[in-house]
């Protein structure tokens, strides 16, 4: 880490720039019945339009809710908004619960999982067909897995300071994009630490892996729960968001053009197995958007993404090409079943320190060997992360996880101190110390805590998770929103429904024309 950066950032005037960092949360949760079965009810009108609502939408399934906060100044502000969304949602979904774990349980037959619907507009139809394609390619069960996405951005004032401090001759936007990719490369080197510290999916219901090959062990005499003794996050392994088809894809994060070209090729070039399935089924109905390895860039399962908000009809890659990187999205976080909101302020503060460390530390360019090493470390940390003797690949050799983790936390400590000095407190350092306790063994990781509770209570995964879901339901329903806030959310829902109608009324041409114009944007990647 450049000492000059830390020393200069510690200046009282420069320190204030750190308070401009913004973070936002995207939190997924399955709706389930009181008995714990996947809800078969549609996305309720009282929750608004899943196509156009800014903070309440759906992911793969009608039953997989996604709550979104705007980018805000503090963890507490983001959590307050997320809390209000939960309380409003619980006031509208009757006796249903939100499943608190990343891994689902009683979801039924894969073909019976309801795919999300977004109305009859071309954009809404495209979102549904994309999800049909995901189900066709990977099975619908995998798409019911939930997680937390953490959005992180630096203010332009801080980017301007870094630009001047580093003496860059680039345009500010180009500098910002290049440095975000520096952050991303370091993140990919070290995100195994986040899976170790925050992984909370060491077990699954046996029904989830029925008819699938796996290496899991039976957890208890009932045989209803399977686990890996040292697992952290099965969601991040081959049972979750880890596509075998995508193993052939080497995405380059050395700069924006390389990133765009590799993903664009995966979208625009047909992939044999998906080409054989066809875009439409025997009855002529769309069953996937395309026959590429990726239908769109969102299909690429990455632990982190560079982002710039796409405009109506614009692809995510076009948004990056047109305007550069505006923020990054961390995607490797499980729901924390011990926190009603799935995430808490100490975790968010550690993420801020971790990401700022990734930005301010030297970040060499990577090659295919580095990419494969990152993939192998993910496999190891998913299944064996809590093994105290585990070694990970490091600089062409191997390094013991606990030693490497302790070293990283030592490197992050000055960043936590900087953030505390900016905010005149000690909460960032305390958040860091709580992670040190996990590495040293003084405190359990979420995965270890979860398995210990299941054992001590004699519960299966389903029983334990169902109990937690009911506890969290009560936490929200016993704190109803005040009338003004309730009315505010109702107005947001109604406005989103009206916006969907306007989009549907403004549509022109056929859906085929719409798709043609959409995919024509990917030509820029090949120029």
């Amino acid at each position: 880490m450049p000492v000059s950066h830390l020393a200069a950032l510690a200046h009282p005037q420069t320190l204030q720039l750190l308070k401009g960092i913004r973070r936002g949360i995207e939190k997924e949760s399955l709706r389930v019945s009181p008995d714990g079965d996947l809800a078969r009810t549609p996305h309720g009108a009282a929750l608004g339009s899943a196509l156009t609502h800014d903070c309440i939408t759906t992911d793969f399934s009608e039953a997989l809710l996604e709550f979104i906060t705007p980018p805000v100044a503090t963890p507490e502000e983001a959590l307050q908004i997320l809390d209000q969304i939960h309380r409003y949602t619980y006031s509208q979904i009757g006796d249903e619960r939100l499943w608190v774990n990343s891994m689902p349980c009683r979801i039924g037959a894969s073909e019976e999982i309801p795919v999300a619907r977004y109305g009859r507009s071309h954009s809404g139809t495209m979102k549904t067909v994309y999800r049909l394609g995901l189900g066709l390619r990977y099975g619908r069960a995998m798409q019911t897995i939930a997680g937390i996405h953490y959005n992180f951005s630096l203010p332009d004032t801080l980017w301007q300071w870094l630009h001047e401090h580093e003496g860059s001759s680039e345009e500010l936007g180009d500098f910002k994009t290049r440095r975000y990719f520096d952050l991303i490369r370091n993140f990919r080197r070290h995100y195994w630490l986040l899976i170790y510290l925050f992984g909370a999916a060491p077990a699954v219901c046996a029904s989830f892996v029925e008819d699938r090959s796996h290496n899991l062990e039976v957890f208890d005499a009932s045989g209803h729960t399977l686990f890996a003794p040292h697992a952290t996050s099965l969601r991040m392994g081959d049972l979750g968001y880890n596509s075998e088809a995508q193993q052939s894809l080497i995405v380059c994060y050395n700069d924006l053009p390389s990133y765009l070209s590799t993903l664009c090729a995966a979208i625009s070039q047909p992939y044999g197995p998906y080409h054989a399935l066809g875009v439409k089924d025997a009855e002529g109905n769309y069953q996937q958007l395309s026959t590429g390895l990726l239908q769109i860039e969102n299909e690429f399962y990455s632990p982190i993404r560079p982002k710039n908000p796409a405009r109506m009809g614009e692809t995510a890659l076009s948004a990056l090409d047109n305007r550069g990187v505006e923020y990054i999205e961390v995607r490797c976080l499980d729901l924390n079943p011990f926190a009603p909101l799935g995430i808490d302020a100490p975790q968010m503060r550690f993420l801020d320190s971790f990401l700022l460390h990734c930005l301010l530390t030297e970040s060499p360019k990577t090659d295919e060997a580095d990419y494969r090493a990152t993939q192998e470390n993910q496999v190891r940390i998913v299944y064996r992360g809590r093994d105290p003797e585990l070694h990970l690949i490091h600089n062409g050799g191997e390094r013991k996880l606990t030693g490497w983790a302790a070293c990283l936390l030592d490197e992050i400590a000055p960043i936590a101190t900087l953030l505390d000095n900016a905010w005149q407190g000690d909460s960032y350092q305390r958040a860091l110390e709580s992670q040190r306790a996990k590495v040293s063994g003084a405190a359990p990781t979420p995965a270890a805590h979860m398995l210990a509770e299941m054992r001590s209570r004699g519960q299966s995964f389903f029983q334990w998770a169902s109990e937690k879901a009911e506890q969290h339901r009560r936490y929200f329903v016993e704190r109803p929103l005040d009338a003004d806030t309730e009315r505010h959310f109702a107005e947001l829902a109604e406005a989103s429904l009206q916006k969907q109608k306007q989009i549907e009324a403004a549509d022109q041409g056929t859906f085929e024309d719409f798709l043609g114009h959409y995919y024509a944007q990917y030509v820029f990647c090949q120029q």
Side-chain angles (χ1 to χ4, degrees):
M1 184 183 304
V3 175
S4 61
H5 277 32
L6 291 181
L9 278 170
H11 189 279
Q13 287 185 327
T14 312
L15 201 60
Q16 297 307 303
L17 299 178
L18 295 173
K19 296 175 72 173
I21 290 173
R22 293 293 182 267
R23 73 280 296 150
I25 302 167
E26 300 172 25
K27 188 245 187 183
E28 301 161 347
S29 290
L30 275 176
R31 286 187 294 111
V32 300
S33 71
D35 294 331
D37 296 316
L38 182 73
R40 295 297 195 270
T41 50
H43 186 71
L47 298 179
S49 165
L51 178 68
T52 59
H53 202 300
D54 288 334
C55 59
I56 303 176
T57 183
T58 54
D59 196 85
F60 174 79
S61 173
E62 280 287 274
L64 185 55
L65 288 171
E66 183 173 354
F67 300 150
I68 304 167
T69 76
V72 292
T74 66
E76 285 76 14
E77 188 177 351
L79 293 171
Q80 180 184 28
I81 296 169
L82 191 59
D83 178 72
Q84 290 177 344
I85 298 172
H86 278 77
R87 289 154 69 190
Y88 178 75
T89 299
Y90 264 111
S91 74
Q92 304 299 323
I93 62 174
D95 60 359
E96 292 178 348
R97 285 106 168 103
L98 300 180
W99 194 247
V100 301
N101 286 78
S102 282
M103 300 305 287
C105 197
R106 292 182 0 193
I107 55 177
S110 179
E111 63 274 10
E112 296 176 359
I113 296 170
V115 172
R117 303 291 171 175
Y118 299 92
R120 56 182 178 82
S121 68
H122 294 330
S123 56
T125 300
M126 181 177 175
K127 288 172 73 73
T128 294
V129 173
Y130 168 61
R131 285 154 175 77
L132 290 172
L134 294 177
L136 180 71
R137 295 170 174 214
Y138 315 110
R140 295 187 181 185
M142 188 183 87
Q143 306 300 324
T144 61
I145 296 172
I148 291 272
H149 298 167
Y150 192 71
N151 299 322
F152 176 89
S153 64
L154 272 62
D156 282 342
T157 52
L158 183 51
W159 282 119
Q160 184 68 51
W161 180 86
L162 284 169
H163 183 263
E164 295 171 0
H165 186 73
E166 295 180 13
S168 174
S169 60
E170 300 166 280
E171 293 289 334
L172 181 60
D174 294 336
F175 171 81
K176 182 165 71 170
T177 291
R178 176 175 64 81
R179 296 292 278 110
Y180 267 129
F181 271 92
D182 291 343
L183 183 162
I184 288 170
R185 288 195 303 279
N186 274 335
F187 178 93
R188 288 181 56 80
R189 291 181 176 101
H190 300 143
Y191 74 93
W192 58 264
L193 179 63
L194 300 182
I195 299 177
Y196 171 79
L197 295 173
F198 303 114
V204 296
C205 280
S207 60
F208 183 76
V209 296
E210 191 173 355
D211 300 325
R212 297 176 65 182
S213 61
H214 63 81
N215 297 312
L216 301 179
E217 301 177 17
V218 176
F219 179 75
D220 57 15
S222 73
H224 296 318
T225 300
L226 301 176
F227 82 124
H230 294 112
T232 54
S233 172
L234 297 178
R235 165 181 170 269
M236 293 298 296
D238 54 2
L239 298 178
Y241 283 104
N242 194 355
S243 162
E244 186 175 322
Q246 292 182 23
Q247 292 301 307
S248 62
L249 185 59
I250 305 293
V251 176
C252 182
Y253 293 91
N254 287 337
D255 52 47
L256 179 58
S258 298
Y259 177 79
L260 294 176
S261 64
T262 50
L263 278 184
C264 189
I267 293 168
S268 58
Q269 297 173 10
Y271 176 66
Y274 300 155
H275 184 71
L277 293 171
V279 171
K280 296 182 179 181
D281 62 20
E283 284 73 43
N285 301 309
Y286 275 94
Q287 59 180 358
Q288 56 180 342
L289 289 174
S290 75
T291 61
L293 178 61
L294 306 176
Q295 297 174 91
I296 57 176
E297 45 272 58
N298 288 357
E299 190 173 341
F300 175 53
Y301 298 130
S302 172
I304 187 170
R305 285 179 184 163
K307 301 277 287 202
N308 194 308
R311 296 165 184 170
M312 182 64 71
E314 184 181 43
T315 72
L317 294 187
S318 293
L320 287 171
D321 186 55
N322 293 333
R323 298 182 295 282
V325 182
E326 191 61 33
Y327 67 98
I328 57 96
E329 178 188 44
V330 175
R331 301 171 51 80
C332 61
L333 303 172
D334 290 343
L335 298 179
N336 179 357
F338 298 99
L341 295 172
I343 191 170
D344 57 21
Q347 181 178 353
M348 295 174 70
R349 286 196 166 87
F350 180 78
L351 289 170
D352 291 346
S353 301
F354 178 89
L355 292 167
L356 204 53
H357 171 266
C358 289
L359 175 70
L360 298 178
T361 304
E362 184 180 356
S363 183
K365 299 293 179 67
T366 58
D367 57 19
E368 182 176 343
D370 296 320
Y371 193 90
R372 293 304 186 197
T374 297
Q375 289 180 316
E376 173 60 23
N377 281 344
Q378 179 172 330
V379 172
R380 294 185 188 186
I381 204 74
V382 162
Y383 281 99
R384 299 164 50 211
R386 294 184 296 106
D387 180 350
E389 298 304 315
L390 177 64
H391 286 66
L392 299 175
I393 299 173
H394 179 250
N395 291 340
E398 298 221 342
R399 187 172 184 180
K400 194 173 183 180
L401 178 150
T402 51
W404 192 1
C407 182
L408 281 174
L409 294 178
D410 286 343
E411 293 177 8
I412 294 169
I415 302 294
T417 300
L418 274 179
L419 290 166
D420 274 335
N421 290 341
W423 288 99
Q424 298 183 324
D426 66 352
S427 54
Y428 280 91
Q429 293 172 81
R430 285 189 286 110
L432 176 66
E433 290 307 311
S434 68
Q435 308 316 315
R436 286 191 196 275
K438 295 176 185 176
V439 173
S440 69
T445 64
H449 188 186
M450 176 178 159
L451 292 175
E453 282 199 358
M454 288 165 57
R455 285 194 182 95
S456 66
R457 299 173 184 178
Q459 292 178 317
S460 67
F461 168 64
F462 175 76
Q463 291 169 329
W464 185 87
S466 296
E467 184 177 285
K468 278 286 187 290
E470 173 55 19
Q471 290 173 2
H472 293 350
R473 186 192 72 84
R474 289 199 303 269
Y475 173 80
F476 293 115
V477 300
E478 291 173 0
R479 296 181 302 115
L481 294 172
D482 62 77
D484 287 344
T485 307
E486 183 90 13
R487 187 180 310 110
H488 168 69
F489 277 101
E491 289 170 353
L492 289 178
E494 179 57 32
S496 71
L497 292 170
Q498 293 304 315
K499 186 175 181 180
Q500 177 180 323
K501 291 180 180 178
Q502 293 168 3
I503 292 172
E504 292 172 348
D507 267 350
Q508 295 181 350
T510 66
F511 180 61
E512 285 75 10
D513 293 336
F514 176 86
L515 272 189
H517 289 307
Y518 187 88
Y519 278 103
Q521 296 177 67
Y522 292 115
V523 172
F524 78 88
C525 296
Q526 302 167 10
Q527 292 175 346

